[in-house]
Amino acid sequence: MPSGLLSRLDAPLLPIVAGLLVTFAVIPAMADDYWLSSIIIPTLVMGLAGIGLNLLQGYAGLVSLGSAAFMLIGAFSAYNLILRVPGLPLPLVLLISGLIAAAAGVVFGLPSLRIRGFYLGASTLGAQFFFEWLFSNFTWFSNDSQSLTISAPRLEILGYSLQSPLGRYFLAASVTVLLIGLAFLIVRSRLGREWMAIRDMETAASVLGIRVARRKLQAYAISSFFLGVTGVLWAFAYLGTSDAHTFNLDKSFQVLFIVLIGGVATIFGNFLGAAFIVLTPILLDRVVLAADLSFLGDQGALTNLQRIIFGAIIILLLIKEPDGLSALLRRARQAVRNRYAG
Amino acid sequence: MSFFLETLITGLFAGLMYALVAIGFVLIYKASGVFNFAQGAMVFLAALAFVTLVEHGFPFWIAFLATAALMVVVAILVEALVLRPLRNRDSLTLFMATLGLSFVIDGTAQFFLGTDVHMLDLGIDDIAEDYAGILISHFDIVASLIVVTLVAVLAIVFSKTRMGVSLRAVADDTLAAQSIGIRLPVIWRIVWSVAGLVALVAGLLWGARQGVQFSLSLITLKALPVLIIGGFSSIPGAIAGGLIVGASEALADIYLGPLVNGSVSTWFAYILAVAFLLIRPAGLFGDRDIERV
């Protein structure tokens, strides 16, 4: 088991990125616009959000219940940057929005220097409610629009428009490749290893000379950077129009579900978790339609039926698959390998 | 001045209601170490079941007992289907499981009982009376008497009865309690049932105040800062925390709100809780070690 873990950590980065590039280049050939805009883009973006939280929670062992707050900061930062700084290229907008979210992450990560465990949830939950309130109460942030919504600006890179589903897909996919690469670099660097040391035994880590406080704040900063960039993509590449309540507590819990269902301390597991979060409601919709369950009640009742099933699946997954869906995948791969190596 | 006092007192009464929800959390947290996010859903389920029975013509006591029985059934199911398979897992997993549980409970409640908003009349007038120049609602006074009675009953049960002593043994040292023959699953079932009954009382009082509707299940979110301020494992702490949150929230809304362009009640309690955490990490009355750096 330890050797398996090590080999996964040490696998060279280049093949991963190359594999991703090929996959992302092939996907548009197989998927139509509906698949791109309703399934693949949200899965990629939520998977990235999962990576953001997983860096903090899975690798550094710090709790956050307010991931969506940092996505929200990213989205509103990008909106205001594009609106108020004309001519700022999109990659820079993404970068700066991420950095603004990172700064907020450091502030709300400060209590982690004094407290540990579940109690940390209070601070990030505070961030969740505070920023939702801030961006819906001060209309300056949404350019004084009546509905308090922010709409996607014209997305373009070097003059190429990214307005079509395909364009938005390429935006999301290229950011995904870059951030996955960055995440792998981070978790394999000294920083990532020190996070894991702090997670596994903080006292020992500090005895070894790891600067715990600095590392924790870096975890909040980097996690929030990922979430901030993700927020921009969610608001502009996926939804188009959003407001502060797009990034509410439910969204934070979704990100948390993604991490737990996909697999704690994994990178690709987050995309499995995201696919689960995105696909389950769609599948449940289809099942309800196909099975013609309308005799059970009206639309409201069916929505609640879906809620019940979704909750039950989550409990079942937590019981049956403690290491998340990525463990399932790993076992399957191992089984195949054993059969053919054997 | 009397306006300040009125705001303060209204806030304190609201805080007592927060405390009522927080007590349900404390019971479960003490016995099983679970932060039960589904407590709010249980409040909603209890209120909705009760109001549906009353609307179908059942007398108050029958409806009350039937709903209480329902909450016991819920407790037994939760123990068998969620807690037992997940024992020995980390607290975050358990928390997420109760989040899933809250979907199941409020989904089930609305699936069978509908999504309409129900008015609930407990026969207590909600009219303000003048006490020494300060207007206080009659309802608030009766509600706080109910809360005080409930807490007194709980305190007696936990200090005098065999079950209560077993529960405190489990909370103190689970392994030692098991080794002297206390059966953990039984304790869990009892504690979740008691938390269900507390949820029923909370549901009736909250429901009478703001109507029985889905938003009842969101009062869970008010309970977390209350618990942090009071300590996760102390019932007196939950009450003190509730009063502090209720009062400071009401005052902040009136005096701070206008300065920042709107109600601050969604987040104020959390910032207050974080401040408390930094100064006094175990909460006012908490006895369990908080993991401190």
Side-chain angles (χ1 to χ4, degrees), chain A residues 114-138:
Chain A
R114 289 264 296 170
I115 45 181
R116 241 187 274 174
F118 198 72
Y119 290 73
L120 261 181
S123 163
T124 41
L125 210 49
Q128 173 71 53
F129 293 120
F130 178 73
F131 287 108
E132 222 179 301
W133 168 85
L134 183 75
F135 290 121
S136 51
N137 231 319
F138 292 91

Side-chain angles (χ1 to χ4, degrees), chain A:
Chain A
M1 165 63 200
S3 71
L5 187 74
L6 272 185
S7 71
R8 264 190 301 127
L9 274 179
D10 291 345
L13 192 59
L14 215 59
I16 294 176
V17 172
L20 280 176
L21 285 176
V22 171
T23 314
F24 286 146
V26 172
I27 284 176
M30 303 192 301
D32 56 18
D33 279 0
Y34 169 79
W35 267 81
L36 280 182
S37 20
S38 306
I39 293 171
I40 293 172
I41 293 178
T43 303
L44 288 179
V45 178
M46 285 311 282
L48 281 181
I51 293 181
L53 180 61
N54 223 329
L55 289 175
L56 183 74
Q57 194 156 299
Y59 290 93
L62 298 163
V63 174
S64 168
L65 299 179
S67 312
F70 303 105
M71 296 172 74
L72 172 62
I73 294 170
F76 271 77
S77 302
Y79 177 77
N80 281 289
L81 281 169
I82 293 172
L83 183 76
R84 294 171 209 281
V85 189
L88 198 63
L90 191 57
L92 262 181
V93 169
L94 284 165
L95 185 69
I96 298 173
S97 307
L99 291 176
I100 294 174
V106 170
V107 172
F108 281 86
L110 280 176
S112 71
L113 307 183
R114 289 264 296 170
I115 45 181
R116 241 187 274 174
F118 198 72
Y119 290 73
L120 261 181
S123 163
T124 41
L125 210 49
Q128 173 71 53
F129 293 120
F130 178 73
F131 287 108
E132 222 179 301
W133 168 85
L134 183 75
F135 290 121
S136 51
N137 231 319
F138 292 91
T139 52
W140 180 83
F141 292 111
S142 46
N143 199 23
D144 297 317
S145 84
Q146 285 293 316
S147 51
L148 297 172
T149 54
I150 54 173
S151 300
R154 232 183 87 76
L155 299 172
E156 56 176 37
I157 288 182
L158 300 173
Y160 289 102
S161 168
L162 301 173
Q163 295 295 100
S164 66
L166 198 62
R168 288 181 288 119
Y169 163 75
F170 275 117
L171 175 65
S174 45
V175 174
T176 304
V177 173
L178 284 174
L179 287 187
I180 288 179
L182 182 62
F184 268 108
L185 279 179
I186 289 171
V187 298
R188 288 171 186 181
S189 68
R190 185 185 184 94
L191 177 63
R193 289 172 203 274
E194 293 192 356
W195 279 348
M196 288 182 254
I198 295 170
R199 173 194 69 191
D200 292 339
M201 196 184 268
E202 189 167 326
T203 320
S206 67
V207 169
L208 285 173
I210 293 172
R211 281 172 295 184
V212 173
R214 170 189 289 219
R215 288 304 188 217
K216 282 185 174 177
L217 291 184
Q218 282 168 340
Y220 274 100
I222 291 171
S223 160
S224 307
F225 175 84
F226 274 72
L227 287 164
V229 174
T230 307
V232 184
L233 293 179
W234 189 261
F236 298 153
Y238 172 52
L239 286 179
T241 303
S242 54
D243 64 7
H245 302 297
T246 305
F247 302 95
N248 59 10
L249 189 64
D250 279 344
K251 186 116 261 115
S252 286
F253 285 152
Q254 275 181 8
V255 181
L256 208 52
F257 280 138
I258 288 173
V259 169
L260 280 181
I261 289 171
V264 173
T266 61
I267 300 291
F268 286 116
N270 298 297
F271 293 96
L272 294 177
F276 172 81
I277 290 284
V278 172
L279 286 176
T280 307
I282 298 176
L283 285 179
L284 287 177
D285 257 347
R286 291 282 162 92
V287 169
V288 165
L289 272 181
D292 191 23
L293 296 174
S294 52
F295 65 90
L296 282 173
D298 54 7
Q299 191 52 45
L302 293 179
T303 311
N304 280 305
L305 190 63
Q306 291 187 8
R307 214 172 148 77
I308 299 170
I309 297 172
F310 188 72
I313 293 177
I314 287 192
I315 296 174
L316 202 69
L317 274 176
L318 291 174
I319 293 173
K320 293 288 174 201
E321 203 54 72
D323 296 326
L325 292 174
S326 61
L328 202 73
L329 215 67
R330 197 150 61 231
R331 274 206 306 277
R333 209 160 50 205
Q334 198 63 43
V336 171
R337 200 172 295 163
N338 287 348
R339 169 164 294 184
Y340 292 104

Side-chain angles (χ1 to χ4, degrees), chain A residues 57 113-116 119 122 125 129 133 137-138 202 249 253 256-257 260 301 304 307-308 311-312 318 322, chain B residues 89 92 96-97 99-100 104 106 108 110-111 221 224 228 232 260-261 263 267 270 277-278 290-293:
Chain A
Q57 194 156 299
L113 307 183
R114 289 264 296 170
I115 45 181
R116 241 187 274 174
Y119 290 73
L125 210 49
F129 293 120
W133 168 85
N137 231 319
F138 292 91
E202 189 167 326
L249 189 64
F253 285 152
L256 208 52
F257 280 138
L260 280 181
N304 280 305
R307 214 172 148 77
I308 299 170
L318 291 174
Chain B
R89 299 279 293 277
L92 197 67
M96 295 308 285
L99 200 52
V104 175
D106 59 38
T108 311
Q110 295 192 86
F111 181 72
L221 298 172
L224 184 62
I228 285 169
F232 273 57
V260 291
N261 186 11
S263 165
W267 55 270
Y270 283 90
L277 269 180
L278 293 176
I290 307 296
E291 289 184 80
R292 267 196 77 174
V293 180

Side-chain angles (χ1 to χ4, degrees), chain B residues 6-230:
Chain B
E6 262 173 41
T7 311
L8 181 69
I9 288 170
T10 313
L12 287 174
F13 281 123
L16 216 48
M17 307 288 264
Y18 294 158
L20 193 54
V21 181
I23 288 170
F25 279 95
V26 170
L27 289 171
I28 288 175
Y29 185 80
K30 264 175 104 107
S32 49
V34 178
F35 183 86
N36 177 27
F37 192 85
Q39 185 72 22
M42 282 159 66
V43 169
F44 173 56
L45 169 68
L48 191 58
F50 177 86
V51 82
T52 309
L53 286 174
V54 168
E55 279 172 6
H56 281 76
F58 288 93
F60 181 91
W61 284 109
I62 304 274
F64 188 86
L65 289 176
T67 315
L70 173 70
M71 298 317 285
V72 173
V73 172
V74 170
I76 292 170
L77 287 178
V78 167
E79 193 276 325
L81 300 177
V82 182
L83 293 181
R84 205 179 308 169
L86 282 173
R87 67 183 175 277
N88 298 333
R89 299 279 293 277
D90 62 291
S91 57
L92 197 67
T93 306
L94 284 164
F95 167 72
M96 295 308 285
T98 62
L99 200 52
L101 183 63
S102 74
F103 287 172
V104 175
I105 291 179
D106 59 38
T108 311
Q110 295 192 86
F111 181 72
F112 287 109
L113 303 173
T115 49
D116 299 336
V117 177
H118 298 265
M119 284 303 141
L120 175 59
D121 184 12
L122 296 177
I124 312 166
D125 298 329
D126 195 0
I127 41 168
E129 286 176 45
D130 196 319
Y131 293 90
I134 298 166
L135 289 174
I136 300 174
S137 163
H138 188 61
F139 182 88
D140 281 338
I141 294 175
V142 176
S144 53
L145 285 178
I146 293 173
V147 175
V148 170
T149 314
L150 183 75
V151 171
V153 170
L154 284 178
I156 292 169
V157 167
F158 285 131
S159 59
K160 301 291 182 210
T161 65
R162 194 179 169 78
M163 190 276 289
V165 176
S166 316
L167 168 76
R168 284 191 296 149
V170 170
D172 204 41
D173 188 335
T174 312
L175 218 56
Q178 278 180 296
S179 71
I180 58 165
I182 293 172
R183 291 173 59 196
L184 215 47
V186 177
I187 292 290
W188 281 347
R189 267 178 236 143
I190 293 172
V191 166
W192 278 72
S193 304
V194 176
L197 299 183
V198 173
L200 170 57
V201 176
L204 295 188
L205 294 177
W206 277 94
R209 225 331 123 69
Q210 46 175 251
V212 177
Q213 53 186 316
F214 178 71
S215 67
L216 271 186
S217 64
L218 299 179
I219 50 178
T220 315
L221 298 172
K222 287 285 186 218
L224 184 62
V226 170
L227 292 167
I228 285 169
I229 291 172

